[in-house]
Amino acid sequence: MTRTNSAVARALERIARLDAALHAFIEVWPDEALARERDALARRLPLGGLPFAVKGPWGTRSFAARRLVAAGGVPVGATSVPGPGTHWQTWGRGAHGRTVNPWRADRTPGGSSAGSAVAVAAGMVVLATGSDGAGSVRIPAAWCGVFGLKTTNGLLPSPDRSGLAAAGVLARSAAAAEPYLRHVLDGGAPPAAPVPPAQPVTPSPLPATRPLAPARPPSRPLLAVYSEDLGYAEVDPEVAAVVRAAVDRLVAAGTVRLLERDAGLLDPAGAWAAVRGGSPDDPEAVRVRRTNDERLEAVLAGEALLLTPATPNRPHGHEGPGDLYSTALTWAFNLSGHPAASLPAGFTADGCPVGLQLAAARGADVRLLAAARAVEDSLPPAPEPPAASRS
């Protein structure tokens, strides 16, 4: 292997060429990464030097990153997260400036896993780690046109004390994300982590961690329930139209069969804030969570999926989202603990990517990934952003 055909060297070259404009990274580790790659290849580890990025300056300490490294993955750098000064988290600050959306530089990439989404979208790395406490993986995945998965809360160690945040991954596709689940969950059980505190409805026990078979496409059609707004969100009509067109295409292809089930939930904003603020036993928060858990159990019965837009809005400008909550359709699943993913659904007329969100029963992460692969196979391939082809 020469440096020119090394996977890590190619990743480092793309970072050097593209990141001056995108600001996806806060640190890059070329010498260490090349040394790790040589070691992984010499030891014939299963990932064979697969280059990946980690979220934020603490990313290499996460359970997922350590599992990937043990399997022969190579962290090449740390990606941007929001800086101080804003209450909104749908942005990032790289080493040399504000992280920009690879599709439209005048828009934010989303966050808080901002740099991870941009690094994947621009082809700087194959996959990147993230964490998702209200949509922090799924929102940037939607706005950068890539795949993003929030795992079941409690399946992996939670990055925050509230238990709302779950580990996640961003990749160019669901297929490209499979090494994450395969090697992060494969074998020994991870350290115990709580589901969100004061869970109103006790979730079914998660299956014991064991070696994972590949996420093969499931039998079709996939049973699914579609909701444009979960009964409470105000969704940009064009975003809703893009997602509905994708769902209609899935139905026409025989990939999905829609079920007539009521997916209306109570607005989780207040309950999320109570849990995040250390008051999970707030009576109103408990009522909302209990009601939503019962409704989600009915919606997802029989291995059904729940399909929604990933965000109610398109990527906003760098000045902020204003009064909009980009988390309106994602944070319900942080409260409930269900795994959820965003994958590319299409574009608005002004060139902004739109994400389709899929949610599944607690602990059904591998099945959700398999369903996402089946959905991807029935939708047009996600194109590369203009920023990925800069010379």
Side-chain angles (χ1 to χ4, degrees), residues 25 39 41 89 93 107 160 169 172 204 223 245 248 256-257 297 307 309 313 347 352 356 370:
F25 284 86
D39 179 66
L41 291 170
Q89 297 289 293
R93 184 177 296 284
R107 303 295 176 95
D160 80 306
V169 61
R172 281 292 299 168
S204 301
L223 302 180
D248 289 344
V256 164
R257 177 163 68 86
E297 184 176 1
L307 311 179
N313 53 333
F347 294 83
C352 293
L356 166 64

Side-chain angles (χ1 to χ4, degrees), residues 176-208:
E178 186 173 328
Y180 176 93
L181 278 188
R182 192 164 176 73
H183 293 286
V184 171
L185 299 183
D186 190 17
V195 293
Q199 185 74 24
V201 174
T202 302
S204 301
L206 295 175

Side-chain angles (χ1 to χ4, degrees), residues 25 28 63 72 77 97 169 185 192 194 197 213 231 238 273 277 281 289 300 363:
F25 284 86
V28 182
F63 177 81
V169 61
L185 299 183
E238 192 174 353
D281 295 326
R289 298 178 71 197
L300 299 171

Side-chain angles (χ1 to χ4, degrees), residues 48-327:
L50 177 80
F52 71 96
V54 297
K55 176 182 178 178
W58 59 87
T60 55
R61 300 198 299 268
S62 72
F63 177 81
R66 288 186 282 117
R67 292 284 292 181
L68 291 171
V69 169
V74 175
V76 296
T79 58
S80 65
V81 292
T86 68
H87 66 278
W88 48 281
Q89 297 289 293
T90 45
W91 68 290
R93 184 177 296 284
H96 304 294
R98 206 174 262 262
T99 309
V100 303
N101 191 300
W103 290 95
R104 286 192 49 168
D106 64 331
R107 303 295 176 95
T108 176
S112 60
S113 304
S116 287
V118 174
V120 167
M124 292 188 269
V125 289
V126 175
L127 58 82
T129 64
S131 59
D132 188 316
S136 293
V137 164
R138 290 161 288 160
I139 293 169
W143 289 355
C144 291
V146 299
F147 176 79
L149 169 70
K150 178 196 83 71
T151 58
T152 298
N153 290 67
L155 189 62
L156 294 169
S158 176
D160 80 306
R161 293 181 179 180
S162 74
L164 290 168
V169 61
L170 297 105
R172 281 292 299 168
S173 65
E178 186 173 328
Y180 176 93
L181 278 188
R182 192 164 176 73
H183 293 286
V184 171
L185 299 183
D186 190 17
V195 293
Q199 185 74 24
V201 174
T202 302
S204 301
L206 295 175
T209 305
R210 60 186 184 278
L212 297 174
R216 295 185 180 90
S219 58
R220 303 186 191 186
L222 301 167
L223 302 180
V225 178
Y226 174 69
S227 175
E228 176 182 304
D229 57 9
L230 292 178
Y232 59 82
E234 294 185 11
V235 180
D236 178 327
E238 192 174 353
V239 168
V242 169
V243 173
R244 182 73 224 200
V247 171
D248 289 344
R249 186 178 186 123
L250 296 172
V251 172
T255 304
V256 164
R257 177 163 68 86
L258 292 180
L259 304 175
E260 293 295 329
R261 294 178 181 173
D262 183 6
L265 303 179
L266 301 179
D267 189 341
W272 185 93
V275 174
R276 190 74 180 90
S279 301
D281 295 326
D282 173 82
E284 179 61 12
V286 170
R287 182 187 74 85
V288 169
R289 298 178 71 197
R290 185 182 301 279
T291 299
N292 285 353
D293 279 2
E294 290 170 350
R295 292 180 183 180
L296 285 170
E297 184 176 1
V299 168
L300 299 171
E303 297 192 347
L305 301 170
L306 175 54
L307 311 179
T308 77
T311 65
N313 53 333
R314 64 193 82 192
H316 56 73
H318 294 286
E319 71 282 356
D323 295 330
L324 294 172
Y325 280 94
S326 305
T327 54

